[in-house]
Structures are given as structure tokens and as C-alpha cells.
Amino acid sequence: MEPQNIRNIAIIAHVDHGKTTLVDAMLKQSGVFRDNEQVEERVMDSNDLERERGITILAKNTSLVYKNVKINIIDTPGHADFGGEVERGLKMADGVLLLVDAFEGCMPQTRFVLKKALELNLSPILVINKVDRQNARPYDVTDQLLELFIDLDATDEQLDSPVVYVSGRDGWASLSPDSPKKDLKVLFDLIVDKIPSPEDTRSGAFQMLVSNIDYDEYTGRIAVGRIARGSVQLNMPISICRGSEKHYHAKVSRLYNYNGLHRDVIEEASAGEIVAISGVEKINIGDTICSLDTPEPLEFKAVDEPVLSMTFSVNNGPFAGKEGDYVTSRHIRDRLQKELESNISLRVEETDSPDSFVVSGRGELHLSVLIENMRRQGYEFMVSKPQTINKVIDGVLCEPVEYLTVDVPDEFTGTVMEGIGTRRGVLANMTPSAQGYTKMEFTIPSRFLIGYRSELLTATKGNGVMSHVFDSYQPFSEVDFNVRSRGSLVAYEEGEAVAYGLFNAQDRGTLFVSPGERVYEGMVVGENSRLEDVVVNVCKRKAATNMRASGSDEALRLTPPRIMSLEECLEFIAEDELLEVTPEHLRIRKRILSADLRAKEVNRSKKK
């Protein structure tokens, strides 16, 4: 295909601003689907976890044809924890559609993705989405975006980027929010006219940077990337370069390009096209595929470093091995190493113990998605409380600091500011965001932000919305803060929880278990209403006697237990606790299960 007939674009935005819904509309109006074809919503979110959570986790490729121009689209995640997916997706693009919600406006991830796009000198088109929603303020959001461009030192050409107003749900685009159209023709025309085509470098030797890895059970690993120079043919001998390491040889066994939601087998492709190549068993993200006689590696800029770590270890609890298929350290190590092949923002380190591994990622959601995928695949293991990763910079110990945005009703601003203030947050900006709502921006140490989401929802009666993104490393604050304001209710013995024991324990706080659920000594069965931990016997049965008293046989009224998600469990666990993850259950437990041994450990630490 001629380079002038190709446009490579990435769609970038904050989470839940409507990227995938807009891609749906673009695919439908470009004729990718048959008229009578049944198409699911958010068709690009093909992963089960993505559909359940309503977010994009993995960057994906698709394409469409408009006026004889092939538009390759890279749909990227909107959550900051998956920034690695965004960064490598941008390497395949010549321009970006920067999508912003017409109500919420610029959010932390908007700044992050735009900064990356401007650094790569990509041509942006500003897309103000959801202009048809109630309380939309498209003109104010446009002004916010221009201010953000100025803050990020955009060039004059980038400041002159075109603005288009869109309703992704209804499938229309217009140059004015007050005059909706019937289709997305305006957006397609802007992409063709304003996004530059790839440079014509077809005459050189073949060269392609691997930006993504796919897998097929028949053909094995598939390298996805954009051809930087030259052309590639089926069965062509190639050379794989990996930085300064010695290169090795392989052969293109299959060559694909993207056609709608499918990969089509092709015979040849040239510079500017996004293709997939199979036949290289050990290929990794960041490798360069070259022609055999000119092995010249392309520079692969490392993605941002992880800021949060957890310890993954073999489950050694009383119920170990009863629910999972893969329970040994070898299984866990192999699975984590496999994840490293495609998840370039992840780090895995060995520890002194052969049964434990330190896994580092970009945030709680980044790590929790890995945990959830592993448990669905039959793995059983334990994880520790998330810890921030500190660095020594110029001889000074520094910690990661997040840029936090909170959108709350006006009546709760005082409560929220007080809560964030106690967590050492510093107010950076405060503006009215919509009728009756205030948007507040803070900088706050990452370690003090762990567990705040549930506190915010409680403080704002479920009306608060927060999002955050890594900001910078700043000198470590010696001031400490106890993130947990309440202790745990800990099971006294192994057995089956019964209504009588739970009824007596529920006065102490909030329970996590139901009657009939199996528990063991040291397992956390609830949250105490006070700061300290309390041992409770939820397996205690009512003594059987031949005496009856008035009212003693009335039915016991139990408060429904709190069922916590994986993220809520990770936020809840304390330093001396672990989360036991199995395909069927999430159990919080003490590191030391025996109450006597825990008491001795506390006394020993006090003496020190």
C-alpha cells in the first residue's frame, strides 16, 4: 500500500471518557460490519475482565478504510496504571485523537497521555466527547485543553490542533456542539486531512520495532509493530536485534495485517503499515526485526518505572491446595515470567525465600488485574499489602507522589479536604466543575493514598469521584500516618461459621463471612469498630439444654456480611496480614496464625 494512503492514529483519553464506544461507531459507519451483523457494545474490549469492569486494559489494533485511505487505529487504556500499554501504542502512531469528556474535562490521565504524545511530536486532534449529555460544557473543556497544551509547552503547530465535538454513543461528529450531524464524516475527514501519512522509506532495508506481543495456540508468539523502513515478504529470512545483545536469525512464517477486527494473511507489506509477524519463538517487546544482511536495532525508550510492589508467595494456610490447580513456587514463578513477556511495566524479583517473589507495577489496579487473571487461570497464592517503591536521588531518599483529582458535591468539600489533609495531601487547585460540584487537585504521597477510595465514598455518601496519576519523586516524609483506622476481627479456631457465633461477634464490628463458611485460626472474619485486633469465635454453637426461657429460641438476626472486591481487600489488609487468593475465595489472614505466637511477636517488637 502507498504510504500516502495510510493513517496511523492512537486514541488516548482518561478512563471512561468513551474511547472504545467511539471506535465502535467508527467501525460501524466505515462498513466493517455487515448490515445484519449482531455486534456487541465495546467490541474492542474482548477480554472478559475488560467487559466486567467496563475499562480497556490492553492496547489493541483495528483498521478501517475511508475514501481509499486505510486508517489504522490503536485503542489504548485510559487508566494510569496501564500507562505502559499507552506508551508502546503511541510508538506505532503518527497522530492521536485526544478524547475528553464534555462534562468531566481534563483529568490526570489526560495530562499524562497528552504529555507522552507531545514528546513523540505526534499530531493531535482534540475530540470533545459526550457533548449531548446533561450538564455538558464543551466550550469550557476546550479552554481547559488549550491551557493544558500551554502548560505542557506545546509548539505553535500543536496549539493550532483542530477541535471536533462528538457523541460516540449516537455516532455523530460536528465542528460545533450546537449543530449535531448524522454521522462521523467530519471526524473521518479531519483524520485524513490533518494526520500526516507515514514517511516513504520503502527503499531501505527492512526494519520494524516490536511494540506488542500476541499469541496464537497454533502459530505461537506473534510480533506486532509498525514497519519503519523497507518491506517484508512471507518466508523472508530476518534478523532479530535486542539492544547490544548478539542478534539471531529467524524466518517470517506468517505475515498479517489488520482488517477491521480480524487479522488477514498477506504476502508482503511495506514501510508505514502496522503488521503482525509469526515465526520468531523468543521475540519480545522492544526487539527490532531487520533484514538478514543489515541488523540495525531501533531505539526503544524504556517506559516509566513501577511505583508499587507486593510480595507473591506460596499459600501455606490450612486450606492450601484445596481449590487451586497451580499451587507450587515453580508454577507461580513460571506464570510471572510469562507475564513479563507482554507486560513491560511489570518487574519480578526473586527473594531470599524460594517461595516468595516481589512483583512491582504501576499501581494497585495494574497488580490487581494480574492477580485476578491468575486466580481465574487456577492459581492459588498469597499477596502482601502494597508498598511504595522509594528511590535514592542525589543522595536523598525520595518517595513517589501522586497527582490526585477529586470531584465532589460542594457540601462535602470540607470533609474531603480534612481527610486528604490528614493523609499529608497538599491542595494544588480548586475550581467549580459543574452545578453543585467542586473539583479539587492535590499532590499526595502514594503510600498515604492506599485505602482512601473507600473512605472518600463513605465521606461523600457515594457521590465522590477520584482519579490519580504518578506525578514525581519527592523527598521522603518522615511523618507517619496509620492508613487503617480500625482493627480486624480474627477467627479463634478452625471450623464452620455458625449463626450463633456470628451473632455474638457482629456487635464488635462488620463481618466478612456468612453462616456455613469455612474459617481457620488467624483468618480475618471482620473489621473491628476500634483500632485494635480482637479474636472472636464465630464457630461457637449454642449450648443444648433441656431448659427453656421466654424469647431464647427466637430467630437470630444477622447483619448481611460485607463482600469485598479484590481491590478493596488489597486496600484493607494491614502490614501483619496477607490476602489468600484462590480460584473460589479471597481470604484475609494474619501472617502469624496462632494468637499466642502473635502476642509473643508483639511483646518482642515492643522490647526492641
Side-chain angles (χ1 to χ4, degrees):
M1 181 171 283
E2 298 290 328
Q4 62 266 26
N5 291 334
I6 299 174
R7 301 292 184 272
N8 296 320
I9 60 167
I11 299 187
I12 56 175
H14 186 78
V15 65
D16 206 28
H17 278 199
K19 297 180 306 302
T20 310
T21 303
L22 178 61
V23 174
D24 279 1
M26 293 174 71
L27 291 173
K28 289 174 183 175
Q29 294 189 23
S30 64
V32 168
F33 307 119
R34 299 189 314 272
D35 292 339
N36 62 344
E37 188 171 350
Q38 294 294 319
V39 182
E40 296 182 9
E41 288 187 2
R42 295 182 291 110
V43 68
M44 292 292 287
D45 286 346
S46 53
N47 186 300
D48 288 342
L49 213 51
E50 290 177 321
R51 290 199 166 278
E52 289 174 20
R53 297 178 182 233
I55 60 173
T56 303
I57 295 172
L58 302 172
K60 304 177 195 68
N61 296 73
T62 186
S63 73
L64 55 90
V65 177
Y66 177 75
K67 291 183 177 179
N68 295 322
V69 175
K70 183 175 184 179
I71 301 175
N72 290 310
I73 301 172
I74 303 126
D75 185 19
T76 64
H79 199 284
D81 285 13
F82 308 110
E85 297 280 334
V86 178
E87 290 173 60
R88 71 189 192 205
L90 291 177
K91 295 180 188 298
M92 294 188 279
D94 295 301
V96 294
L97 300 185
L98 177 64
L99 206 73
V100 183
D101 189 302
F103 171 72
E104 292 186 0
C106 295
M107 301 294 277
Q109 180 71 351
T110 311
R111 171 183 286 269
F112 171 81
V113 294
L114 178 59
K115 182 181 178 183
K116 295 293 181 185
L118 295 181
E119 286 175 355
L120 293 170
N121 201 29
L122 301 178
S123 301
I125 294 177
L126 311 186
V127 182
I128 312 300
N129 193 25
K130 305 184 184 181
V131 293
D132 53 343
R133 71 177 288 183
Q134 191 176 7
N135 297 325
R137 45 196 186 95
Y139 295 114
D140 291 341
V141 171
T142 305
D143 292 340
Q144 281 184 19
L145 271 175
L146 293 176
E147 290 173 9
L148 181 58
F149 270 81
I150 294 170
D151 288 345
L152 296 176
D153 297 324
T155 62
D156 291 341
E157 292 80 8
Q158 290 166 335
L159 281 170
D160 288 335
S161 300
V163 182
V164 60
Y165 300 92
V166 167
S167 170
R169 183 192 62 185
D170 294 338
W172 61 263
S174 173
L175 296 177
S176 169
D178 302 320
S179 55
K181 304 289 186 182
K182 294 182 179 180
D183 52 33
L184 293 170
K185 183 177 181 298
V186 172
L187 178 60
F188 287 132
D189 288 335
L190 280 176
I191 293 172
V192 172
D193 297 338
K194 300 297 184 180
I195 300 296
S197 58
E199 293 183 21
D200 191 352
T201 54
R202 291 175 291 176
S203 58
F206 174 62
Q207 196 179 37
M208 183 185 101
L209 181 69
V210 179
S211 299
N212 207 347
I213 293 290
D214 207 342
Y215 184 81
D216 185 275
E217 59 184 22
Y218 298 107
T219 59
R221 293 168 70 77
I222 299 173
V224 180
R226 171 182 161 178
I227 301 175
R229 188 181 66 193
S231 60
V232 60
Q233 296 85 31
L234 198 62
N235 297 321
M236 170 180 163
I238 52 176
S239 179
I240 314 300
C241 304
R242 186 172 299 164
S244 58
E245 294 182 24
K246 186 177 179 182
H247 58 270
Y248 60 96
H249 300 159
K251 187 179 80 169
V252 179
S253 63
R254 288 232 175 156
L255 182 64
Y256 309 89
N257 70 357
Y258 288 89
N259 181 11
L261 300 177
H262 310 289
R263 280 198 304 257
D264 289 345
V265 178
I266 56 175
E267 297 287 330
E268 184 177 4
S270 56
E273 296 187 59
I274 294 176
V275 297
I277 296 174
S278 67
V280 188
E281 190 175 325
K282 300 176 183 177
I283 195 78
N284 279 316
I285 292 169
D287 292 353
T288 305
I289 304 178
C290 311
S291 59
L292 199 61
D293 50 349
T294 53
E296 301 172 4
L298 289 165
E299 181 185 359
F300 181 73
K301 186 180 177 182
V303 298
D304 291 344
E305 292 293 313
V307 296
L308 212 62
S309 67
M310 289 181 191
T311 301
F312 283 49
S313 54
V314 174
N315 184 14
N316 59 8
F319 298 164
K322 293 185 177 180
E323 298 172 4
D325 298 323
Y326 309 104
V327 297
T328 66
S329 60
R330 179 178 61 83
H331 287 136
I332 297 171
R333 179 188 290 105
D334 291 347
R335 177 62 180 83
L336 293 175
Q337 292 299 324
K338 183 179 179 182
E339 186 70 19
L340 286 176
E341 295 174 356
S342 58
N343 197 336
I344 58 175
S345 302
L346 202 71
R347 301 286 183 274
V348 177
E349 302 169 50
E350 301 276 350
T351 64
D352 297 336
S353 168
D355 294 338
S356 300
F357 310 90
V358 176
V359 181
S360 306
R362 296 280 279 262
E364 283 180 80
L365 185 61
H366 185 203
L367 293 171
S368 70
V369 165
L370 169 61
I371 294 169
E372 182 65 31
N373 280 326
M374 287 178 66
R375 71 180 290 228
R376 292 185 181 205
Q377 292 163 6
Y379 288 84
E380 182 178 314
F381 53 98
M382 298 187 301
V383 296
S384 68
K385 180 180 177 65
Q387 302 286 340
T388 54
I389 301 173
N390 299 329
K391 283 185 177 180
V392 177
I393 302 174
D394 297 330
V396 179
L397 180 64
C398 298
E399 64 177 341
V401 173
E402 304 274 332
Y403 193 81
L404 170 69
T405 298
V406 184
D407 209 344
V408 296
D410 295 340
E411 59 189 289
F412 300 118
T413 52
T415 307
V416 171
M417 288 182 69
E418 181 182 356
I420 296 177
T422 58
R423 291 173 176 260
R424 309 296 179 261
V426 177
L427 183 66
N429 193 18
M430 182 174 176
T431 54
S433 63
Q435 187 174 3
Y437 275 75
T438 300
K439 185 177 183 178
M440 295 178 286
E441 299 171 20
F442 301 85
T443 54
I444 181 172
S446 300
R447 60 192 169 114
F448 296 150
L449 196 55
I450 296 173
Y452 178 65
R453 191 177 299 274
S454 57
E455 182 182 315
L456 173 72
L457 292 174
T458 303
T460 60
K461 298 181 180 178
N463 292 305
V465 177
M466 65 172 273
S467 59
H468 54 91
V469 67
F470 171 74
D471 183 62
S472 61
Y473 272 92
Q474 296 182 12
F476 185 81
S477 172
E478 297 294 339
V479 180
D480 203 1
F481 171 73
N482 187 7
V483 176
R484 277 275 294 272
S485 58
R486 297 182 178 183
S488 300
L489 300 179
V490 187
Y492 170 71
E493 63 182 356
E494 183 177 337
E496 188 177 287
V498 295
Y500 184 75
L502 292 170
F503 179 77
N504 291 325
Q506 70 181 4
D507 292 337
R508 297 277 191 174
T510 305
L511 294 175
F512 298 158
V513 296
S514 307
E517 197 168 327
R518 297 281 299 173
V519 301
Y520 53 81
E521 182 185 7
M523 178 175 160
V524 175
V525 294
E527 181 183 40
N528 191 12
S529 56
R530 301 176 183 271
L531 184 58
E532 69 274 3
D533 295 338
V534 174
V535 176
V536 294
N537 189 357
V538 295
C539 303
K540 183 179 180 181
R541 298 179 180 275
K542 185 176 180 181
T545 68
N546 60 353
M547 301 293 292
R548 288 177 178 237
S550 175
S552 62
D553 292 332
E554 289 181 2
L556 301 176
R557 294 184 179 274
L558 290 178
T559 304
R562 187 204 300 175
I563 307 300
M564 293 201 293
S565 66
L566 175 58
E567 284 81 12
E568 290 171 331
C569 289
L570 293 175
E571 289 183 350
F572 178 83
I573 56 177
E575 297 286 348
D576 65 337
E577 294 172 351
L578 297 168
L579 176 62
E580 181 182 323
V581 180
T582 76
E584 298 178 21
H585 291 95
L586 295 171
R587 301 185 183 97
I588 300 172
R589 50 158 284 182
K590 290 293 181 182
R591 286 181 184 269
I592 302 173
L593 297 178
S594 169
D596 293 337
L597 294 179
R598 283 201 305 274
K600 289 179 182 178
E601 183 65 27
V602 170
N603 292 333
R604 193 178 297 117
S605 61
K606 286 181 179 178
K607 290 178 181 178
K608 291 180 181 179

